[in-house]
Every structure is written in C-alpha cells, then in structure tokens.
Amino acid sequence: MEDPREIPAYSLPLAAHYLRLPVSTLRDWVKGGEYPTTAGQKHFCPLINLPNPEVLMLSFYNLAEAHVLSALRRTHHVKMPAIRAALDFVSQEYGWKRPLIQQEFKVGGASVFVENLQDKELVDAGTKGRQRILGFIREYLTRLKWENKVAVALYPFTRLITDESPKSVVIDPRYSFGRPVLAKIHVPTAIIAERYKAGETTIHLAKDYACKTDDIEEAVRCELNVALAA
C-alpha cells in the first residue's frame, strides 16, 4: 500500500497558500529555473524532488520540506546553491533520503547543515549568524510531528508573526485527505471557514464543535488569511 505521505496531493497554489509562500517561490523550489550571472543565464535544479517531476503536485513530504526551507530562504535569503550544497553534504554524510524532515536532522543534523552553509556563501556569516539561522530552523522544526524518525504531520503557521501561531491547525495525510483540520477534533478548516463566511460567529461555531473560539479563529485564519477572525 502506497504511503499517503508520498502521494501527490497539493497543487502549487494550494501548497503556497498553506505555507504562506509566493507561488513563484515554491515553483522555483520544486521545478528549478534560471538565474542571471555575469556569464549569462544559468539553470538551477529543484531543491525539492516531486513524486512525479512532470506533474506540479506536492506530496505531504514535499510540503514539510518546503516548510523548513522557508526558514532559510524567506527569513535569511540564503542562496539556493548554498542550500543545495549543504543538503548534499548531510545527505551523503549520513545517508538521509529527506534530511530536512528526518528526526536526526532535528536532533543534530541541523547544526551540521548550518555549519556547512557557512562555507557556501551564507548571508549572515559568523557565529552569531549561524546561531540565528539555526534558531529559525529549529522553530520551524517544532511545527512538525515526528513518528519513526520522520515527519508525519505539520502544524502550519496561521499568523504572519510565526511565534504567535498556536498549534491549533494540523496537516496530516491521515485526516481529510491531507487538508488542514483542527488538531483536537479533526474538523476540516475549510468547512469552518465556509460557515464563518456564511455569517456564523466564532462563538456559535465553537459551541457547535465543542472547542475554543481561539481554535475556530485559527481555522479561519488558515483558510482565509484574515487579519482577525471575529
């Protein structure tokens, strides 16, 4: 039986929405592209390997990998060749198939990864820079749930300020075909958001689902990206 975490389940726009990334950025990560140099245009290969390179659909594993990569690219603007070199290093050094979402990476591999970045055009050079980047990576890694040493679920950020995002919403291939659900009761956030858009209040929805209004608000934020669910 095929692992549901390996199945292509997320279109680029949908995955970008869940990860709060520009679609163009995510496309570059999974498809590759061109970048200018003094010698002319050069091609870069994907950082994330899709189940089927001919179909731009991400698996859950791809979604989780992109989640961790965003800590490097969006927050610190580390160059893609540097990230690729560091990924190649830890993969070859330890034989990890998916280094960014393996528990060994969380435990100690992230430190090795960042140390290797230091020699690959790291933007925030020096010890302080390495510690800052490592801190961000670890923050993103805490949003993953682990079983058998691999990521099995993702608690997506529902707010622009990441450290203010509770773990109210989870993406887990075992529930709702991998669409976001409330972590405690597994109700799809899309259903909650539709009811909210139809005029039902967060208080009424919380009573209906026997959960906290805070959880309802995070479900709405996940789907609609509203500044405040009220």
Side-chain angles (χ1 to χ4, degrees), residues 47 69 72 78-94 96 99-100 105 109-120 122 137:
L47 287 168
L69 276 178
L72 292 165
V78 179
K79 296 179 181 179
M80 292 181 73
I83 296 174
R84 183 175 294 105
L87 285 175
D88 288 344
F89 175 81
V90 294
S91 294
Q92 293 170 10
E93 186 77 7
Y94 302 107
W96 297 341
L100 292 175
F105 184 80
S111 297
V112 177
F113 178 81
V114 172
E115 287 293 332
N116 190 254
L117 276 175
Q118 176 64 18
D119 300 323
K120 303 294 181 181
L122 184 59
I137 290 176

Side-chain angles (χ1 to χ4, degrees), residues 22-85:
V23 174
S24 58
T25 297
L26 188 56
R27 181 183 292 109
D28 285 345
W29 293 357
V30 303
K31 190 177 181 180
E34 305 293 327
Y35 66 97
T37 70
T38 55
Q41 292 289 108
K42 286 192 174 182
H43 179 78
F44 59 84
C45 296
L47 287 168
I48 296 172
N49 296 317
L50 298 177
N52 182 351
E54 302 300 319
V55 180
L56 292 182
M57 294 284 289
L58 284 73
S59 67
F60 169 78
Y61 282 148
N62 297 149
L63 196 72
E65 289 169 326
H67 163 79
V68 179
L69 276 178
S70 64
L72 292 165
R73 289 290 295 151
R74 297 194 68 197
T75 304
H76 295 282
H77 308 290
V78 179
K79 296 179 181 179
M80 292 181 73
I83 296 174
R84 183 175 294 105

Side-chain angles (χ1 to χ4, degrees), residues 121-199:
E121 302 179 55
L122 184 59
V123 175
D124 292 322
T127 301
K128 185 177 292 186
R130 291 198 300 272
Q131 290 303 315
R132 286 181 65 241
I133 290 182
L134 189 57
F136 271 96
I137 290 176
R138 285 174 173 161
E139 178 187 0
Y140 276 65
L141 290 173
T142 62
R143 308 293 298 196
L144 296 171
K145 181 180 178 181
W146 310 83
E147 290 181 9
N148 299 321
K149 297 186 177 182
V150 70
V152 296
L154 165 65
Y155 296 93
F157 293 116
T158 50
R159 306 190 186 196
L160 292 178
I161 300 176
T162 58
D163 58 7
E164 293 181 359
S165 290
K167 293 181 179 179
S168 297
V169 175
V170 67
I171 296 174
D172 186 329
R174 294 171 293 186
Y175 302 104
S176 192
F177 303 99
R179 298 300 184 264
V181 298
L182 282 182
K184 295 178 181 177
I185 58 177
H186 301 148
V187 174
T189 56
I191 292 176
I192 295 172
E194 285 301 316
R195 293 182 62 178
Y196 175 81
K197 286 195 297 181

